[in-house]
């Protein structure tokens, strides 16, 4: 005999919002679960009227798009929330940002257009800072990797070690010279990678660079996701994934200029 | 909130006289497990410029961050101290061995998580010991901080190492490593110590460290072990403990905060990013307990009962929820259903938070049918938590010995109500190794559990109900009537637990519905050594630590073999050993290592209560029967502070600090 979950008169969702947030500085060491908890609490603190799932343990309705790994900073993480009353996205952005600890920063909020967020998050652009590596060294390694058609790497997954091609999904990879936060010269890799299964991450690309060209950074690299969104295959650039949502809201405002 | 790039941290450090070690630490973090626990940045954490303050505290809970960060004691002191404009308090926790190794390789000192300042730079290094199993972690922290392990080797440049918390009621095993200990409530004491240090520094620190410790000792409320000499009999017993210099009091008193409503802390609980053991806000609804359970050190040393008022509780709950966004608030105390207005508190809070997915919980409740009504009330607004009761002893007889005044009928009635109200699972806590206990007392736990399931199946009308029996070894503690008792050896403890397990497992009718969880007896022996040990145990702690002992509260890190081996070596030239400290019964005339620390309890009363225990005589609660002369109120100049106030909680509007800003 199965237990029946208690009846709850949870208010229905009337609006879906898409959020872009950044994970900066020391908060790049948060895991995805850490961020989930922090976000749920911030939503409560900010008084955002969340829609809840039903069942024994109701959860606020939040869906996360592929999150950057622990240790990687990001300027472009995305998620969707469902709320039970219509809200001004800008106010939600300010209120939620104020309720989150510094370093988890809400950058943008828009009302969601129809269609799945995951469908527009096709590729990512990354910056990989390599302290104590020269741009020349890095450039040689990049050239060696890009000359290959396929480079198989291995990564430890929850299910055990898994081998996959790290070269195929790379759309663009270039080495530049730059500076670390303390002002020391270093190499900076710019990477555009198509989202595949499993997702090829910057550390997989670094593994491939080590395998192909023996590039071994002496200090752990500082990795930052700069953008996520639709991929323009011609230019190899990543566009704003919320552009379509913004356009559809503009259309709605044009049709009905005085909501509420 | 705007971002806080690393450069600001470094820049702020540069303006200080004390640099942040974060830049060095940051390079190590990608190499360790769960680095988030070392970065700080929690919601409601405080940071202050070093130069703007005069008295600086580094507060440590000597266990892993996930255990330490929810600790109420540290959070209260952190907030109380930081509210003083010229005082800085930062937190530090035990680092795991992966980071410890890297810190040693790269010369990174023990750091605070708030501004990553080196612990060695603070005026006071305060450690809160909820359990004795944090002692080895203290040594790691001292060593990483560059502070000499032995108090006698420290100079003016080192912080005052100050111990507090329940374990500090017998600080003798760590007397070599600490400069001072404070017993009792910390909030007022920390401010008094701060004021004393502020004055001392303003005068130009005359006489240095020695004089500062002298000033602290002269207050009568701070114990400085170095100012006391311990003399021993040839057989190993203590002959006497005497002040080694004039002006040092013979006994040191515990601190008692009165009027809890005047101390509504923490006002802004810390919200960690990393997962911690208690993912909730906590509001202490009263302090102290006079139920008189004879095994319970907390109940003995925190007397008298001081209640927070219903309105004070209401304000703290609301403030905590606003400040944190937690989904659960725990109403803490040693026996939460005993609050004089708990029914009104539960109803008032349940009304306030109905429909907000906010859960309220009463973590410590007695076996009392009334508590089911409370649990029902509290689960109205959120998730229904499990029900846990602690009969502690399996037989009627042993419950009289320990003064846990609960009958089997009480228990059956309570769980019947629980199963009848839709609960499917009830957890029962017991202890093994209580004074005078026999196999039969413990085996009656199985009888009790069977009866619980049998009755439960009848009232629930179904078979899928469960009862979990959780049982651990009893450790006699200082300042309790059992402070003289022999601890049961771990072999007998384990044998008894196995017999109980087998009886439950072999029960065809009910066994499958009864869960059995137990802790083996070995860690209890080490806890017993550290609880009732004297200064001679310090060398054992140091030997264990030098041998690699860390995180003794974690079964995967605890090594009984190491503790016994190190104890054998360290105590070899003394007439005492581990058994002497643990399984030996003491006599009334013996000087106990903690006798010069005054918890307010009259030693004669404790002894009488010990004799009553052996005669299976129960003692009632002084809240609703006349005073039984435990001694605390007259000795400490305190009194019971309880309601009812007759006040009610008024409804509130929607929760969420930003709710108005959101809607304009």
């Amino acid at each position: 005999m199965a237990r029946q979950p208690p009846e709850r008169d949870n208010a229905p969702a009337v609006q879906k919002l898409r959020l872009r947030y950044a994970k900066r500085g020391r908060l790049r060491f948060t895991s995805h679960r850490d961020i989930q908890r922090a976000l749920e609490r911030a939503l409560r603190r900010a008084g955002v009227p969340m829609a809840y799932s039903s069942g024994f343990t109701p959860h606020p309705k939040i869906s996360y798009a592929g999150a950057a790994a622990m240790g990687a900073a990001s300027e472009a993480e995305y998620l969707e929330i469902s709320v039970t009353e219509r809200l001004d996205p800008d106010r939600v952005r300010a209120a939620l940002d104020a309720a989150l600890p510094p370093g988890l920063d809400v950058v943008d909020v828009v009302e969601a257009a129809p269609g799945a967020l995951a469908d527009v998050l096709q590729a990512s652009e990354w910056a990989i800072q390599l302290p104590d590596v020269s741009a020349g060294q890095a450039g040689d390694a990049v050239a060696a990797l890009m000359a290959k058609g396929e480079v198989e790497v291995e990564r430890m997954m929850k299910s055990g070690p898994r081998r996959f091609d790290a070269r195929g999904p790379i759309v663009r990879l270039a080495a530049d010279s730059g500076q670390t936060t303390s002002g020391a010269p270093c190499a900076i890799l710019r990477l555009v990678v198509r989202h595949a299964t499993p997702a090829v991450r910057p550390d997989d690309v670094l593994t491939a660079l080590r395998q192909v060209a023996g590039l071994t950074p002496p200090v752990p690299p500082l990795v930052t996701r700069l953008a996520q969104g639709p991929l323009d295959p011609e230019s190899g650039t990543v566009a704003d994934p919320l552009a379509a949502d913004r356009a559809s809201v503009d259309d709605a405002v044009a049709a009905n200029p005085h909501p509420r | 909130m705007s971002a806080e790039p690393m450069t600001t941290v470094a820049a702020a450090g540069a303006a200080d006289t004390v640099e942040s070690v974060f830049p060095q630490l940051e390079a190590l973090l990608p190499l360790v497990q769960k680095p988030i626990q070392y970065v700080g940045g929690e919601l409601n954490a405080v940071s202050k410029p070093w130069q703007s303050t005069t008295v600086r505290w580094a507060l440590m809970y000597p266990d892993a961050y996930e255990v330490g960060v929810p600790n109420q004691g540290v959070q209260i002191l952190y907030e109380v101290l930081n509210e003083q404009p010229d005082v800085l308090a930062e937190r530090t926790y035990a680092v795991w061995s992966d980071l410890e190794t890297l810190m040693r390789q790269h010369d990174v000192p023990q750091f605070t998580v708030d501004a990553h300042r080196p612990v060695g730079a603070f005026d006071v290094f305060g450690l809160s010991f909820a359990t004795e199993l944090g002692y080895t972690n203290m040594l790691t922290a001292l060593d990483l901080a560059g502070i000499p392990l032995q108090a006698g080797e420290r100079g003016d440049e080192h912080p005052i190492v100050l111990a507090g918390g329940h374990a500090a009621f017998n600080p003798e095993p760590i007397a070599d490593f600490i400069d001072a200990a404070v017993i009792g409530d910390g909030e007022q004491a920390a401010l008094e110590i701060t004021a004393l240090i502020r004055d001392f520094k303003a005068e130009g620190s005359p006489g240095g460290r020695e004089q500062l410790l002298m000033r602290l000792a002269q207050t009568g409320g701070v114990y400085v072990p170095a100012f006391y000499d311990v003399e021993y009999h040839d057989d190993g017993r203590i002959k006497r403990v005497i002040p080694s210099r004039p002006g040092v009091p013979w006994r040191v008193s515990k601190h008692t905060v009165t009027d809890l409503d005047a101390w509504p802390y923490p006002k802004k609980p810390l919200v960690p990013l990393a997962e911690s053991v208690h993912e909730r806000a906590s509001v202490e609804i009263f302090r102290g307990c006079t139920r008189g359970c004879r095994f319970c050190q907390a109940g003995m040393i925190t007397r008298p009962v001081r209640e927070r008022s219903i309105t004070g509780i209401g304000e703290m709950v609301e403030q905590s929820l606003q400040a944190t966004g937690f989904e659960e608030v725990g109403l803490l105390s040693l026996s939460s259903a005993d609050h004089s207005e708990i029914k009104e508190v539960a109803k008032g809070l349940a009304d306030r938070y109905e429909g907000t997915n906010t859960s309220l919980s009463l973590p410590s409740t007695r076996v009392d049918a009334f508590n089911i009504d409370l649990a029902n009330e509290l689960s109205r607004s959120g998730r229904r938590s499990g029900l846990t009761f602690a009969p502690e002893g399996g037989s009627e007889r042993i419950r009289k010995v320990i003064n846990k005044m609960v009958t089997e009928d009480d228990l059956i009635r309570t769980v019947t109500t629980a199963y009848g109200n839709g609960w499917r699972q009830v957890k029962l806590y017991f202890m093994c190794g209580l004074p005078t206990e026999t196999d039969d007392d413990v085996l009656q736990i199985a009888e009790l559990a069977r009866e619980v399931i049998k009755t439960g199946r009848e009232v629930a009308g179904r078979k899928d109900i469960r009862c979990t029996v959780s049982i651990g070894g009893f450790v006699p503690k200082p300042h309790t009537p059992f402070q003289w008792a022999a601890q049961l050896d771990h072999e007998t403890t384990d044998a008894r637990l196995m017999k109980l397990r087998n009886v439950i497992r072999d029960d065809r009718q009910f066994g499958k519905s009864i869960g059995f969880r137990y802790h083996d007896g070995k860690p209890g022996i080490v806890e017993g050594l550290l609880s009732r040990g004297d200064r001679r145990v310090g060398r054992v702690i140091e030997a264990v630590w030098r041998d690699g002992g860390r995180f003794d509260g974690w079964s995967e890190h605890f090594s009984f073999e190491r503790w016994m081996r190190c104890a054998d070596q360290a105590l070899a030239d003394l007439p005492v050993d581990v058994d002497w400290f643990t399984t030996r019964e003491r006599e009334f005339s013996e000087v106990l290592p903690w006798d010069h620390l005054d918890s307010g309890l009259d030693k004669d009363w404790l002894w009488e209560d010990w004799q009553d225990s052996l005669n299976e005589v129960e003692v009632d609660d002084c809240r609703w029967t006349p005073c039984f002369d435990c001694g605390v109120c007259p000795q400490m100049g305190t009194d019971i502070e309880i309601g009812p106030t007759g006040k009610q909680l008024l409804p509130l509007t929607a929760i969420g600090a930003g709710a108005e800003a959101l809607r304009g």
Side-chain angles (χ1 to χ4, degrees):
Chain A
M1 184 158 53
R3 283 174 67 195
Q4 290 301 308
E7 295 240 344
R8 294 177 200 271
D9 47 352
N10 289 338
V14 299
Q15 188 186 32
K16 203 181 257 189
L17 297 168
R18 286 183 179 163
L19 278 74
R20 175 183 173 187
Y21 68 94
K23 177 167 81 142
R24 292 170 175 151
R26 56 182 171 176
L27 289 220
R28 73 178 192 275
F29 294 109
T30 45
S31 72
H32 184 51
R33 278 170 52 78
D34 298 334
I35 291 175
Q36 285 179 330
R37 277 194 310 275
L39 185 85
E40 286 187 23
R41 282 171 193 154
L43 286 163
R44 286 171 63 87
R45 263 165 53 79
V48 176
M50 292 299 295
Y52 273 78
S53 66
S54 41
F56 288 108
T57 52
H59 278 287
K61 288 186 176 172
I62 307 172
S63 57
Y64 298 84
M70 184 177 75
S74 178
E75 291 296 317
E77 300 295 291
Y78 292 89
L79 55 85
E80 269 180 357
I81 62 173
S82 298
V83 292
T84 59
E85 59 185 275
R86 294 195 59 79
L87 300 169
D88 174 359
D90 287 339
R91 283 177 187 266
V92 173
R93 195 210 64 74
L96 192 54
D97 188 44
L100 279 165
L104 283 183
D105 304 319
V106 183
V107 181
D108 203 354
V109 178
V110 299
E111 182 164 357
L117 180 58
D119 289 346
V120 289
L121 299 180
Q122 296 161 355
S124 286
E125 182 178 354
W126 296 89
I128 307 167
Q129 200 185 80
L130 301 171
D132 297 342
V133 174
S134 73
Q137 271 174 289
D140 293 345
V142 165
L145 173 59
M146 294 308 280
K148 302 270 184 188
E150 195 182 310
V151 177
E152 201 170 75
V153 298
E154 188 177 289
R155 184 180 359 132
M156 189 53 86
M157 309 269 189
K158 278 188 188 125
S159 51
R162 182 160 170 192
R163 296 189 70 81
F164 54 94
D165 175 27
R167 168 64 188 89
I170 298 178
V171 180
R172 223 155 38 100
L173 180 63
D176 223 335
S177 59
Q179 278 189 346
T180 65
T181 38
S182 58
C186 67
I188 292 181
L189 301 180
R190 287 292 185 126
L191 166 70
V192 175
V193 62
R194 211 171 29 246
H195 293 173
T197 313
V200 170
R201 307 192 312 200
D203 49 320
D204 300 320
V205 173
L206 290 166
T207 306
L209 288 168
R210 193 183 65 233
Q211 280 174 213
V212 170
L215 183 74
T216 46
V219 184
L222 179 58
V223 170
T224 308
R225 172 141 61 191
L226 301 175
Q228 260 193 103
L231 177 68
D232 178 2
E234 300 283 295
S235 63
T237 55
V238 176
D240 177 9
L242 304 183
D245 305 284
R246 258 187 280 272
S248 95
V249 170
D250 289 346
D251 291 349
V253 172
N256 176 17
H258 301 292
R260 297 174 84 173
Chain B
M1 248 176 233
S2 65
E4 186 193 30
M6 271 16 284
T7 42
T8 32
V9 175
D16 286 347
T17 47
V18 171
E19 298 270 351
S20 165
V21 300
F22 195 77
Q24 298 95 290
L25 179 68
E26 191 177 18
L28 310 180
L29 292 181
L31 309 174
V32 304
Q33 294 286 310
K34 295 190 196 167
I36 186 67
Q37 65 185 309
Y38 304 117
V39 306
E42 302 93 342
L43 198 66
N44 300 326
V46 177
S47 64
K48 290 183 181 182
W50 186 263
Q51 291 291 44
S52 73
T53 57
T54 49
V55 182
R56 305 174 183 111
W57 291 67
L59 301 172
M60 179 175 202
Y61 189 88
D63 202 334
Y65 178 87
E66 64 190 87
V67 179
V69 79
N71 180 263
Q72 290 295 292
V74 171
Q75 287 205 26
I76 290 170
L77 294 182
Y78 179 70
E79 205 171 316
V80 165
L81 290 167
N82 275 319
E83 273 185 2
Q84 303 277 310
D86 69 334
V87 179
L88 172 69
E90 300 196 7
R91 295 160 297 126
T92 184
Y93 303 94
V95 299
W96 287 108
S97 63
D98 56 351
L99 184 58
E100 185 192 336
T101 305
L102 288 166
M103 285 164 69
R104 290 184 189 283
Q105 278 168 13
H106 296 267
D107 280 329
V108 178
Q110 179 79 24
F111 55 87
T112 61
V113 296
D114 298 284
H116 295 93
R117 287 163 172 144
V119 165
F122 287 76
D123 296 306
V124 185
F125 178 24
L127 295 110
S128 179
F129 289 105
T131 146
E132 300 81 4
L133 297 176
Y135 291 160
T136 50
N137 286 348
M138 166 179 66
L139 297 187
T140 309
L142 287 172
D143 190 50
L144 284 172
I147 302 169
L149 295 189
Q150 299 285 329
E153 291 167 19
R154 290 174 201 149
D156 289 351
E157 71 277 25
H158 296 120
I160 298 295
V161 178
L162 179 70
H166 286 183
F169 275 79
N170 175 22
E172 290 301 88
I174 51 168
D176 292 345
F177 316 120
I178 58 170
D179 296 297
V182 166
I183 61 171
D185 299 329
E187 44 271 81
Q188 240 164 352
L191 291 177
E192 285 162 16
I193 292 169
T194 298
L196 196 146
I197 296 175
R198 182 190 287 126
D199 292 348
F200 178 75
K201 288 177 90 168
E203 292 168 34
S205 308
R209 182 181 198 84
E210 170 99 3
Q211 273 310 305
L212 175 56
L213 288 171
M214 193 62 198
R215 287 190 190 189
L216 289 167
Q218 281 167 334
T219 64
V222 179
Y223 175 54
V224 179
F227 296 164
Y228 294 80
D229 289 332
V230 183
E231 295 168 9
Y232 300 95
H233 291 292
D234 290 341
D235 65 3
R237 286 176 303 133
I238 294 172
K239 189 187 279 175
R240 55 182 192 156
V241 180
I242 46 169
S244 58
R245 59 198 73 193
V248 175
W250 281 85
R251 298 188 83 196
V252 179
S253 298
K254 81 162 176 181
H255 296 257
T256 308
V257 162
T258 55
D259 187 9
L260 250 52
D261 281 339
W263 296 90
Y265 299 94
K267 295 173 183 167
K268 290 184 165 183
L270 292 163
V271 187
L273 285 149
E275 191 164 10
S276 69
V277 292
H278 291 307
E279 295 281 314
R280 62 177 179 224
S282 297
V283 172
E284 189 182 21
I285 65 173
F286 65 88
R287 203 173 283 185
C289 179
T290 37
R291 285 285 188 167
C293 302
R294 292 174 175 130
F295 55 85
C296 179
Q297 188 191 36
M300 293 289 160
I301 62 178
T302 60
R303 295 171 175 209
V305 171
R306 289 145 291 152
E307 282 189 359
R308 199 181 297 285
S309 70
I310 178 170
T311 43
I313 293 168
E315 278 165 34
M316 279 190 75
V317 169
E318 176 61 9
Q319 198 166 27
S320 292
L321 288 171
Q322 296 273 8
T324 62
F326 279 125
E327 285 196 311
E328 186 183 339
V329 183
L331 303 176
L332 302 192
S333 76
L334 292 172
S335 179
S336 290
D338 285 344
H339 190 284
S340 65
E341 285 176 300
I342 190 63
K343 203 172 159 189
E344 292 77 8
V345 168
K347 179 169 189 316
L349 292 175
D351 285 348
R352 273 188 178 180
Y353 298 107
E354 184 150 25
T356 63
N357 288 295
T358 306
S359 303
L360 299 152
S361 59
L362 286 182
S364 304
T365 49
R366 292 173 55 85
V367 182
D368 190 330
F370 168 62
N371 293 326
I372 306 290
D373 297 340
L374 284 180
N376 262 332
E377 193 72 82
L378 292 171
S379 64
R380 231 194 314 143
S381 51
R383 296 168 194 173
R384 181 177 265 195
S385 57
L387 276 181
T388 302
F389 296 109
E392 311 286 6
S395 69
E396 209 83 35
R397 189 196 71 79
I398 202 80
R399 287 196 295 273
K400 283 186 177 152
V401 169
I402 63 179
N403 202 39
K404 188 88 190 187
M405 301 215 283
V406 173
T407 63
E408 184 166 339
D409 289 349
D410 287 337
L411 179 71
I412 299 300
R413 202 178 312 120
T414 303
V415 292
T416 305
T417 320
Y419 290 125
N421 275 273
W423 265 274
R424 292 282 163 269
Q425 162 119 359
V426 170
K427 226 193 257 180
L428 300 174
Y429 275 12
F430 294 94
M431 282 187 292
C432 177
L434 292 161
T436 76
E437 178 187 279
T438 62
D439 284 0
D440 186 54
D441 291 309
V442 170
L443 292 178
Q444 285 201 36
I445 293 170
E447 290 293 327
L448 208 53
R450 271 198 288 259
E451 197 56 35
V452 161
I453 295 292
K454 184 166 162 270
T455 324
R457 284 180 185 173
E458 282 166 23
V459 292
R462 54 204 295 171
K463 287 189 101 178
D464 67 341
I465 55 158
R466 282 189 66 76
C467 164
T468 301
V469 168
S470 194
I471 180 164
F474 165 66
V475 179
K477 295 277 173 162
H479 305 279
T480 68
F482 290 165
Q483 64 183 354
W484 291 279
Q487 184 175 354
L488 189 62
D489 62 88
H490 67 89
E491 293 90 347
T492 313
T493 299
D494 291 348
R496 243 170 231 172
L497 291 173
M498 285 310 102
K499 281 177 196 162
L500 175 60
R501 188 195 63 179
N502 293 342
V503 169
I504 291 174
R505 200 183 47 193
D506 296 344
D507 187 315
R508 284 165 180 267
Q509 204 180 354
F510 301 113
K512 283 203 160 45
S513 300
I514 303 171
F516 184 62
R517 288 190 191 169
Y518 66 96
H519 300 283
D520 70 65
K522 286 176 175 172
I525 291 294
V526 172
E527 194 187 329
L529 171 72
L530 299 175
S531 293
R532 291 195 295 171
D534 56 38
R535 292 188 179 188
R536 294 168 293 189
V537 173
R539 58 176 91 174
V540 181
I541 299 169
E542 185 169 344
V544 165
W545 178 76
R546 292 203 182 278
D547 198 59
R550 307 282 190 277
F551 290 95
D552 290 300
W554 297 67
S555 54
E556 62 268 48
H557 298 283
F558 174 79
S559 165
F560 183 70
E561 178 278 323
R562 173 189 279 143
W563 274 96
M564 293 306 111
R565 175 166 44 81
C566 292
D568 281 348
Q569 288 162 9
L571 302 174
D573 58 340
L574 294 171
V576 296
D577 57 15
V578 172
D579 289 348
W580 191 89
F581 285 110
T582 56
T583 58
R584 179 180 63 98
E585 185 172 338
R586 281 77 158 163
E587 287 178 0
F588 178 69
S589 60
E590 180 168 341
V591 175
L592 301 174
W594 51 90
D595 277 349
H596 56 300
L597 291 150
D598 186 5
S599 61
L601 295 157
D602 180 10
K603 197 175 176 185
D604 291 334
W605 177 78
L606 285 173
W607 179 261
E608 282 164 28
D609 204 42
W610 170 223
Q611 299 310 306
D612 281 350
S613 159
L614 297 173
N615 295 322
E616 298 163 22
V617 173
E618 295 170 296
V619 174
D620 219 323
D621 190 315
C622 64
R623 270 171 295 184
W624 30 85
T625 58
C627 169
F628 45 73
D629 293 323
C630 75
V632 170
C633 290
Q635 180 73 6
M636 296 290 143
T638 53
D639 210 344
I640 304 175
E641 295 176 353
I642 57 171
T645 63
K647 292 187 179 144
Q648 300 285 320
L649 291 179
L650 301 173
L652 295 171
T653 47
I655 63 158
E660 276 172 45
L662 204 58
R663 289 173 186 86

